[in-house]
Amino acid sequence: MTAGTASGLPPAAGEGDTPTPAPRRLTIGKVLAALSEDFPDVTASKIRFLETEGLVLPHRTASGYRTFTDDDVRRLRYVLAAQRDRYWPLKVIREALDALDRGLSDPGDDTDGRPRPPVPVPDPDVPGPEALVGHRDVALTGPELREATGIDRDTMHALETYGLLQADANGRFGHESLAVAAAARALAAHGLEARHLRPFRTAADREIGLVEQVLATRRGSGAREERAAEIASACIALHVALVRAGLPR
């Protein structure tokens, strides 16, 4: 359990990030002064006892004095309030602090006060069903697509060869082709050629097949196009979540 994270404050800046200012350090006397209004019975001995139990981990100076951060004070408030208002034993408080340290949320005075897992929220980077229904009316020639995205003729030919760019019956390219060509150009800057992108075509075809399978085997309310967009949006969200989970941190 890491002290100083139960308040839900963001973690310290990682390598390459803008350094965060060093937290101010409070003596145990200043901590008592900050807590005394809400917890008049708190004492230095009480804080030392909570330290012994591992519920708060103050910094020790070279001379052995305890110093506390503002986050330590918020952690102490949580512990003292849990004892006074909820009559929680130390074991339950320790479990709650561990849950908060792992990213669960403090519900405050709601229900029994135990930390709750975060509620899943839609990823703003994933297109919702409404964004997948319908298409913009655009029909681009090959030269127009190359001009708009900056890809060269050879790259465009390779993308067509591997099925990533697909023209319509009139040899025109739609709005999605703009996104495909632009992404291919961005990946080319990292050394990825069109031949390396074939797995994306395969994966997309498999997801499209899965959507068609669901539509064929399960009836539901709503137009077919809308239902297909709902399923596809969920598939994309799953894909993004899996990729993010596998990236280096």
Side-chain angles (χ1 to χ4, degrees):
M1 177 175 61
T2 303
T5 57
S7 64
L9 295 178
E15 184 178 355
D17 296 333
T18 302
T20 56
R24 66 169 181 162
R25 297 291 180 178
L26 305 174
T27 64
I28 195 167
K30 290 183 178 180
V31 171
L32 289 171
L35 296 173
S36 60
E37 182 176 352
D38 294 326
F39 306 96
D41 296 332
V42 67
T43 63
S45 296
K46 173 71 170 180
I47 294 177
R48 294 190 188 102
F49 169 74
L50 295 176
E51 177 188 358
T52 301
E53 292 295 321
L55 300 180
V56 63
L57 300 175
H59 174 75
R60 291 278 189 153
T61 66
S63 55
Y65 290 103
R66 296 173 177 83
T67 60
F68 299 79
T69 64
D70 290 328
D71 208 35
D72 291 326
V73 175
R74 284 188 284 270
R75 192 177 186 88
L76 285 167
R77 285 186 183 278
Y78 182 89
V79 173
L80 295 171
Q83 289 182 312
R84 182 193 63 191
D85 302 335
R86 296 168 181 154
Y87 307 103
W88 284 359
L90 293 182
K91 179 179 181 296
V92 175
I93 295 175
R94 188 177 291 106
E95 292 171 351
L97 288 173
D98 175 69
L100 293 172
D101 289 343
R102 291 184 288 104
L104 278 69
S105 302
D106 180 5
D109 295 331
D110 296 341
T111 63
D112 61 359
R114 295 176 185 271
R116 296 286 187 269
V119 177
V121 296
D123 189 330
D125 296 328
V126 172
E130 66 283 351
L132 297 176
V133 174
H135 308 278
R136 297 185 185 182
D137 294 329
V138 63
L140 303 177
T141 64
E144 290 169 341
L145 180 63
R146 294 197 299 274
E147 178 184 357
T149 59
I151 63 173
D152 57 34
R153 187 186 300 272
D154 289 341
T155 299
M156 181 172 177
H157 176 69
L159 292 173
E160 290 182 281
T161 299
Y162 294 118
L164 290 128
L165 285 179
Q166 297 177 340
D168 62 18
N170 298 316
R172 300 292 188 262
F173 297 89
H175 181 74
E176 287 76 14
S177 293
L178 278 170
V180 170
R185 185 174 185 272
L187 291 171
H190 297 279
L192 294 176
E193 302 175 4
R195 60 190 176 88
H196 299 130
L197 307 183
R198 285 182 294 177
F200 290 92
R201 177 74 268 169
T202 302
D205 289 339
R206 287 176 177 172
E207 290 186 14
I208 293 168
L210 185 62
V211 172
E212 293 293 341
Q213 179 182 346
V214 173
L215 292 176
T217 57
R218 294 193 176 186
R219 297 180 179 180
S221 58
R224 178 181 175 85
E225 185 179 19
E226 294 174 353
R227 292 184 59 221
E230 291 176 0
I231 301 168
S233 179
C235 288
I236 295 170
L238 175 60
H239 175 82
V240 170
L242 291 172
V243 171
R244 282 181 174 167
L247 288 176
R249 300 194 180 268

